[in-house]
Amino acid sequence: MVANRTLTVSENGTLLPFLLTALSTMGRNKVKSLLTHGQVMVNDQVVTRHDHPLVQGQTVSILAMRKVSSDDLDGVQILFEDDDVLVIDKPAGLLSMGTDTEKEHTAYRILSDYMRMKNPKSRIFIVHRLDRDTSGVMMFAKRESVQQKLQNAWKDVVVERAYLAVVEGRVQQDTGTIISWLKESKTLIMYISRKEGDGQKAITHYEVLHRTGEYSLLKVQLETGRKNQIRVQMQSIGHPVVGDDRYGAIKDPLGRLGLHASVLSFHHPTTDKVMRFETDFPSAFLRVFSYDQKASVTIKS
């Protein structure tokens, strides 16, 4: 297991050549394994791509802890873990936490079992949720005090929450903002109130990354975090998320909901350092747009 190290970039370049030079006593395959297992961070962001660009003055950290394989945790991948928080990439189809009808097969249960394997007294605390059929970055707290600190100051703690959404139809505007007031029906379905101020205010910003005749790929950023916010608001502008028959979709080219939490950036609850985690494009999303590599789609920051 590699000891924690922090390196400073002395000249512009790309990540793998930099690591091969800085870690010259290690073999090439071992260095590449560090990237594969999420053990390399650039300016506090976990990076797995070999060709990630580096700029002079950036810091590159080598983490001692290997990312746990998704095979070990029913598809859940641990992106980062320290004494305070645990950041994961949740697969589509997995509940964040238990419901009246399903208590066992959840991210919360899987991670609780993982923690207890290391220490029987360990616990895990949910900070925020993703819908069952939404994949992507989630954060858990490892102490109740950390959970409360994060939840009580969530708007200040979170720097960025970005999603990738595949929606039906060709979205004409390159960028847009949706502002609406959301309410929940007796059947637990969210809907938009026609009366301003009636319900919870929801603000969503989107940018079109790619279009075809049938579908659009969007980068979506949340200014507020309401239940089913993206799903109900995309329906409201006539472009429901694919695979989302609950909110008006009639097409399912992915075999899953076309929504992925791609970026979560936040102030660490103890150090206050800004941490940023970005996950790969789900391969199904790329197939819809005839891309062979995730690098073919560029998300503008």
Side-chain angles (χ1 to χ4, degrees), residues 231-266:
R231 298 165 64 182
V232 68
Q233 286 189 319
M234 294 313 301
Q235 179 191 33
S236 75
I237 64 170
H239 296 284
V241 177
V242 299
D244 193 6
D245 55 3
R246 186 179 182 90
Y247 291 104
I250 59 175
K251 298 177 181 179
D252 185 16
L254 309 178
R256 53 156 290 185
L257 184 72
L259 195 57
H260 176 73
S262 58
V263 176
L264 178 64
S265 178
F266 58 90

Side-chain angles (χ1 to χ4, degrees), residues 10-202:
S10 59
E11 59 183 26
N12 297 352
T14 54
L15 185 54
L16 181 57
F18 172 83
L19 291 173
L20 290 172
T21 299
L23 305 175
S24 57
T25 58
M26 296 180 62
R28 183 182 181 88
N29 288 338
K30 287 187 178 181
V31 172
K32 292 172 71 173
S33 179
L34 294 176
L35 289 165
T36 302
H37 290 93
Q39 290 175 260
V40 179
M41 299 183 75
V42 178
N43 283 7
D44 297 320
Q45 176 184 348
V46 173
V47 174
T48 58
R49 290 182 58 178
H50 296 181
D51 61 349
H52 181 85
L54 296 179
V55 178
Q56 183 179 357
Q58 288 182 316
T59 58
V60 176
S61 300
I62 312 300
L63 306 180
M65 183 174 295
R66 292 167 61 92
K67 184 171 71 174
V68 177
S69 167
S70 60
D71 294 336
D72 300 330
L73 297 174
D74 288 344
V76 173
Q77 288 201 348
I78 295 176
L79 302 178
F80 177 80
E81 180 181 357
D82 64 10
D83 292 338
D84 300 303
V85 297
L86 196 157
V87 182
I88 69 165
D89 185 359
K90 184 188 83 68
L94 182 69
L95 283 166
S96 297
M97 63 181 300
T99 65
D100 291 340
T101 57
E102 177 58 73
K103 299 184 183 298
E104 295 301 319
H105 190 58
T106 68
Y108 173 81
R109 175 66 67 181
I110 290 167
L111 294 171
S112 293
D113 291 345
Y114 160 74
M115 291 294 296
R116 288 181 183 128
M117 285 177 62
K118 299 196 298 180
N119 181 346
K121 295 182 179 180
S122 295
R123 297 181 63 192
I124 201 79
F125 300 87
I126 196 158
V127 176
H128 66 113
R129 305 183 194 186
L130 293 178
D131 295 339
R132 179 201 292 262
D133 296 317
T134 300
S135 56
V137 189
M138 276 189 71
M139 173 170 52
F140 289 80
K142 295 176 75 172
R143 297 194 308 276
E144 189 172 11
S145 59
V146 172
Q147 176 200 40
Q148 292 176 351
K149 183 176 182 179
L150 290 168
Q151 290 183 334
N152 291 341
W154 187 245
K155 290 183 179 179
D156 297 322
V157 167
V158 174
V159 177
E160 180 185 5
R161 289 180 74 187
Y163 289 72
L164 294 172
V166 181
V167 301
E168 293 185 359
R170 187 177 178 87
V171 178
Q172 296 302 317
Q173 287 186 290
D174 289 340
T175 61
T177 296
I178 308 170
I179 302 175
S180 51
W181 299 86
L182 303 187
K183 300 185 73 174
E184 189 170 20
S185 71
K186 293 180 179 179
T187 56
L188 306 182
I189 295 178
M190 302 302 293
Y191 66 94
I192 292 177
S193 173
R194 296 182 180 180
K195 183 179 178 182
E196 185 174 340
D198 182 29
Q200 293 183 314
K201 189 174 185 178

Side-chain angles (χ1 to χ4, degrees), residues 210 212 284-293 296:
H210 192 68
T212 68
F285 285 25
L286 301 181
R287 288 198 300 270
V288 168
F289 296 97
S290 300
Y291 282 97
D292 295 325
Q293 301 177 18
S296 300

